[in-house]
């Protein structure tokens, strides 16, 4: 299997530039020989400091959001070109906090995804159902609709340049992790979607991460599932010790 294992930290609105720099320098010795790809997404203003601190390491720095537009009169927005120049290599898109708190709809997510790919940023597309959607038996339908609408305009060659993160909304920041079985079923569904869209060869190359209350002590059983290729971590990525321990536990599985 040629899939990359990716361990990504989503810092959300935490970590000033100074803090980001200190974190990266402290984490670097722990990731010298790891096989996993270690990603960190600081807030915009901390990206350059994190990139600089990560220069001698294998840590890859990215962003948590990007504008759907390439440039122009969009007060408060940051473009893909700006992120690229700041040293960002990937961008998290469609996170449930962006969808719910900032009302990003599927059209916006689709434009952002296309724009990011065009500018050479690797997108991590987040998808996930709410608790209600799951109890109503609509989880699979929701996941498929989210992926379908976000990836509608993409071509097969884009498949190799993107990652998916399955993040059930009810598991984010709640301490409730989805069971390995639930996660595998959702990941399989995502991969099957891409098999149908672009064929098995491309689908097999797309790393699918799990996110939602991942901690050092619950990551191992998740990683043993066939279609789980890493994790997207919020809360537990804010401390070097817990993030490094998650990486270590992933390496051992
Ligand atoms: P959490 O966040 O690990 O704190 O649940 C995950 C995420 O929002 O990506």
């Amino acid at each position: 299997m040629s899939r990359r294992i990716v361990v990504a930290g989503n810092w959300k609105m935490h970590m000033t530039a100074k803090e980001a720099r200190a974190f990266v320098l402290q984490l670097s010795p722990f990731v010298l020989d790891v096989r996993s790809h270690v990603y960190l997404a600081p807030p915009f203003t901390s990206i350059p400091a994190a990139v600089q601190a990560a220069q001698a390491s294998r840590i890859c720095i990215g962003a948590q959001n990007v504008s759907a537009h390439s440039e122009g009169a969009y007060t408060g927005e940051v473009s893909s070109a700006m992120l690229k120049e700041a040293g960002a290599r990937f961008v998290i898109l469609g996170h449930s906090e962006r969808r719910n708190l900032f009302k990003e709809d599927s059209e916006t997510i689709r434009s952002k995804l296309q724009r990011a790919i065009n500018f050479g940023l690797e997108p991590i597309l987040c998808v996930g159902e709410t608790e209600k959607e799951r109890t109503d038996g609509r989880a699979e339908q929701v996941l498929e609709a989210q992926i379908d609408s976000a990836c509608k305009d993409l071509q097969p060659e884009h498949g190799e340049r993107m990652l998916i993160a399955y993040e059930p909304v009810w598991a984010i920041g709640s301490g409730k992790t989805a069971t390995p079985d639930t996660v595998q079923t959702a990941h399989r569904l995502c991969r099957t979607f891409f098999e149908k869209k672009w064929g098995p060869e491309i689908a097999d190359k797309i790393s699918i991460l799990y996110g939602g209350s991942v901690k050092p002590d619950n990551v191992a059983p998740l990683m043993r599932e066939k279609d789980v290729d890493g994790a997207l971590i919020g809360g537990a990525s804010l401390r070097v010790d817990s993030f490094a321990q998650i990486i270590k536990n992933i390496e051992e599985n």
Side-chain angles (χ1 to χ4, degrees):
M1 188 185 66
S2 54
R3 283 201 296 276
R4 291 180 307 148
I5 300 297
V6 176
V7 193
N10 171 13
W11 282 349
K12 309 194 180 184
M13 203 171 71
H14 298 280
M15 300 275 186
T16 64
K18 244 191 217 166
E19 290 163 346
R21 184 183 139 78
F23 186 106
V24 171
L25 293 176
Q26 256 188 64
L27 179 69
S28 296
F30 292 102
V31 298
L32 280 180
D33 308 314
V34 293
R35 281 171 294 124
S36 309
H37 295 252
V38 178
Y39 283 26
L40 284 173
F44 289 139
T45 50
S46 302
I47 289 175
V51 167
Q52 207 200 20
Q55 246 162 23
S57 78
R58 299 183 54 234
I59 301 168
C60 174
I61 305 296
Q64 302 168 19
N65 185 24
V66 70
S67 174
H69 307 280
S70 54
E71 68 173 348
Y74 301 105
T75 302
E77 290 287 272
V78 174
S79 73
S80 293
M82 292 165 187
L83 288 181
K84 279 287 282 188
E85 203 175 297
R89 286 162 51 193
F90 70 92
V91 60
I92 298 171
L93 293 175
H95 191 280
S96 72
E97 284 151 21
R98 300 295 321 168
R99 291 180 195 260
N100 300 329
L101 303 175
F102 300 98
K103 308 292 170 233
E104 284 190 12
D105 59 14
S106 47
E107 191 99 350
T108 307
I109 295 164
R110 173 160 62 230
S111 318
K112 289 185 174 196
L113 188 63
Q114 184 74 55
R115 191 77 64 196
I117 284 190
N118 289 349
F119 278 86
L121 286 168
E122 180 180 55
I124 302 181
L125 172 67
C126 300
V127 293
E129 80 286 358
T130 62
E131 189 146 40
K132 169 119 184 33
E133 287 161 345
R134 175 153 288 274
T135 48
D136 287 352
R138 293 195 298 120
E140 304 199 343
Q141 192 187 324
V142 167
L143 287 182
E144 202 167 294
Q146 287 177 350
I147 302 185
D148 189 28
S149 70
C151 299
K152 210 172 247 156
D153 302 334
L154 300 187
Q155 302 304 314
E157 65 269 25
H158 298 141
E160 298 179 16
R161 285 186 251 149
M162 68 182 288
L163 296 100
I164 300 291
Y166 168 57
E167 297 208 310
V169 179
W170 47 271
I172 296 177
S174 65
K176 288 191 232 168
T177 326
T179 64
D181 238 25
T182 304
V183 173
Q184 170 57 25
T185 306
H187 284 218
R188 186 64 237 165
L189 177 123
C190 297
R191 200 172 313 283
T192 304
F193 173 88
F194 288 111
E195 276 168 10
K196 287 193 209 139
K197 188 174 169 73
W198 290 326
E201 209 173 302
I202 291 175
D204 203 41
K205 287 190 186 144
I206 301 176
S207 296
I208 306 177
L209 320 183
Y210 168 74
S213 297
V214 172
K215 303 274 178 300
D217 59 1
N218 63 21
V219 73
L222 294 164
M223 287 305 298
R224 281 184 216 119
E225 296 296 332
K226 193 165 168 281
D227 287 290
V228 179
D229 310 308
L232 178 56
I233 303 138
S237 73
L238 292 172
R239 287 182 41 185
V240 173
D241 56 356
S242 58
F243 192 56
Q245 191 62 47
I246 290 174
I247 298 168
K248 188 164 180 278
N249 294 354
I250 287 180
E251 291 281 303
E252 285 165 5
N253 277 277

